[in-house]
């Protein structure tokens, strides 16, 4: 871990090495307030520290924004009355106890209804998480079909996988396999499209180069606005907490 001061605050960050040939230091601030600097392996710690300090004001602002979000959210208890997102809309949870019925989750009349044989928060949690993954698998496949024609460099449908992640919406492997976070299904469709297009752009450009951002501008001219919207919802979506 490396650290520096911005005003009276000591900001620590983790250094990781970039696997490509790009010589820039990429700085990321995550919703859980971790700060990471992805740097070329040839760069010294002093060089990385100097690059990070140049972005100190931006890092501080990002940390303040995420901390502000975290002060307005509470851990879930998986009981009736809580609010849950799906495709950008909020649904109130309604837990139904039915000893003879099969466990089930469904959207019904503006509510997320969970049927259990006996009230148990862990069981409710498991059912909701399974439902999100099932819906994510279907929705992501549909959105991939809807946007893939915009990426002319993609010649065949890439394989799509799900993986729950704490700090990422998605990733793209060197061989073109897309991995998306099932929590992303809580976001509006335009945000899902943004993440999918972002990863499809990585099939052509495996780093965040100027060419990468030119491709993003081509396929989604308003991507920065959409990204900002998604970033604002990240804490509640990724950490399983509610406002």
């Amino acid at each position: 871990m490396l650290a520096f001061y911005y005003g009276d605050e000591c900001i620590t960050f983790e250094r990781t090495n970039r696997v490509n040939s790009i010589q820039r230091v990429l700085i990321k601030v995550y919703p859980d307030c971790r700060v990471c600097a992805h740097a070329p392996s040839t760069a010294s710690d002093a060089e990385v520290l100097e690059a990070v300090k140049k972005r100190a004001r931006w890092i501080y602002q990002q940390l303040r924004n995420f901390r502000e979000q975290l002060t307005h959210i509470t851990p879930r208890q998986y009981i009736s009355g809580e609010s849950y997102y799906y495709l950008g809309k909020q649904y109130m949870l309604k837990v139904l106890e039915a000893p003879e019925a099969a466990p089930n989750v469904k959207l019904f009349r503006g509510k997320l209804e969970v049927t259990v044989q006996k009230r148990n928060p862990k069981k409710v949690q498991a059912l909701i998480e399974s439902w999100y993954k099932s819906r994510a698998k279907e929705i992501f496949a549909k959105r991939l079909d809807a946007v893939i024609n915009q990426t002319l460099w993609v010649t065949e449908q890439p394989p799509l996988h799900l993986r729950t992640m704490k700090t990422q919406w998605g990733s793209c492997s060197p061989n073109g396999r897309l991995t998306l976070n099932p929590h992303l299904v809580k976001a509006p469709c335009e945000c899902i499209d943004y993440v999918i297009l972002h990863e499809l752009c990585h099939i052509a450009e495996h780093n965040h180069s100027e060419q990468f951002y030119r491709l993003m501008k081509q396929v989604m001219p308003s991507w920065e606005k959409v990204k900002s919207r998604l970033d604002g919802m990240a804490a509640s979506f990724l950490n399983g907490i509610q406002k």
Side-chain angles (χ1 to χ4, degrees):
M1 297 290 287
L2 300 173
F4 66 97
Y5 275 91
Y6 183 76
D8 294 331
E9 179 169 355
C10 180
I11 298 176
T12 60
F13 65 94
E14 177 185 0
R15 177 202 170 142
T16 60
N17 290 330
R18 302 190 70 165
V19 296
N20 50 49
S21 59
I22 299 300
Q23 295 302 302
R24 291 188 299 112
V25 176
L26 176 64
I27 303 166
K28 290 188 176 183
V29 181
Y30 294 104
D32 60 359
C33 295
R34 289 187 303 111
V35 181
C36 293
H38 306 282
S41 58
T42 55
S44 66
D45 283 350
E47 290 171 327
V48 174
L49 183 59
E50 188 62 28
V52 172
K53 288 169 75 172
K54 289 180 180 178
R55 301 293 306 282
R57 182 176 180 180
W58 176 82
I59 294 170
Y60 178 80
Q61 185 63 49
Q62 292 293 104
L63 288 171
R64 190 171 70 175
N65 290 343
F66 283 132
R67 286 167 183 161
E68 177 67 18
Q69 292 177 28
L70 291 171
T71 61
H72 292 90
I73 48 185
T74 55
R76 293 198 177 279
Q77 299 179 53
Y78 299 95
I79 57 176
S80 294
E82 291 183 336
S83 178
Y84 287 77
Y85 279 95
Y86 174 64
L87 295 180
K89 296 182 179 180
Q90 285 183 291
Y91 295 88
M92 183 179 293
L93 176 64
K94 185 176 182 180
V95 179
L96 303 173
E97 188 174 33
E100 304 301 323
N104 184 46
V105 180
K106 66 178 180 180
L107 291 177
F108 184 68
R109 295 181 178 177
K111 291 183 172 61
L112 181 64
E113 287 193 355
V114 178
T115 301
V116 290
Q117 295 178 335
K118 185 178 181 180
R119 293 182 189 275
N120 182 312
K122 289 187 177 180
K123 180 62 176 178
V124 174
Q125 178 182 5
L127 286 169
I128 292 175
E129 290 177 353
S130 178
W131 180 81
Y132 270 129
K133 288 178 181 178
S134 175
R135 300 303 303 146
K137 186 176 181 180
E138 180 178 339
I139 295 296
F140 294 166
K142 287 182 178 179
R143 297 318 304 163
L144 177 59
D145 286 340
V147 304
I148 195 168
N149 288 337
Q150 297 172 232
T151 54
L152 302 179
W153 58 88
V154 181
T155 57
E156 60 183 33
Q157 189 94 343
L160 178 61
H161 297 264
L162 300 181
R163 186 172 78 239
T164 301
M165 297 174 275
K166 282 289 187 182
T167 60
Q168 287 181 274
W169 294 119
S171 65
C172 178
S173 70
N175 62 2
R177 185 180 73 172
L178 303 187
T179 300
L180 297 179
N181 193 331
H183 287 305
L184 182 61
V185 80
K186 301 171 186 177
C189 274
E190 68 170 354
C191 296
I192 297 173
D193 290 353
Y194 156 70
V195 174
I196 292 175
L197 287 168
H198 182 108
E199 302 311 332
L200 290 175
C201 285
H202 277 311
I203 292 178
E205 296 291 329
H206 296 292
N207 50 68
H208 293 98
S209 62
E210 290 184 11
Q211 177 60 21
F212 170 85
Y213 289 114
R214 279 197 291 268
L215 290 177
M216 276 301 306
K217 198 72 173 178
Q218 289 174 19
V219 298
M220 181 176 271
S222 62
W223 73 266
E224 290 175 288
K225 182 178 179 180
V226 178
K227 178 184 182 298
S228 178
R229 183 183 182 190
L230 182 60
D231 287 346
M233 299 181 285
S236 56
F237 288 174
L238 289 172
N239 297 322
I241 43 190
Q242 66 167 343
K243 290 188 177 183

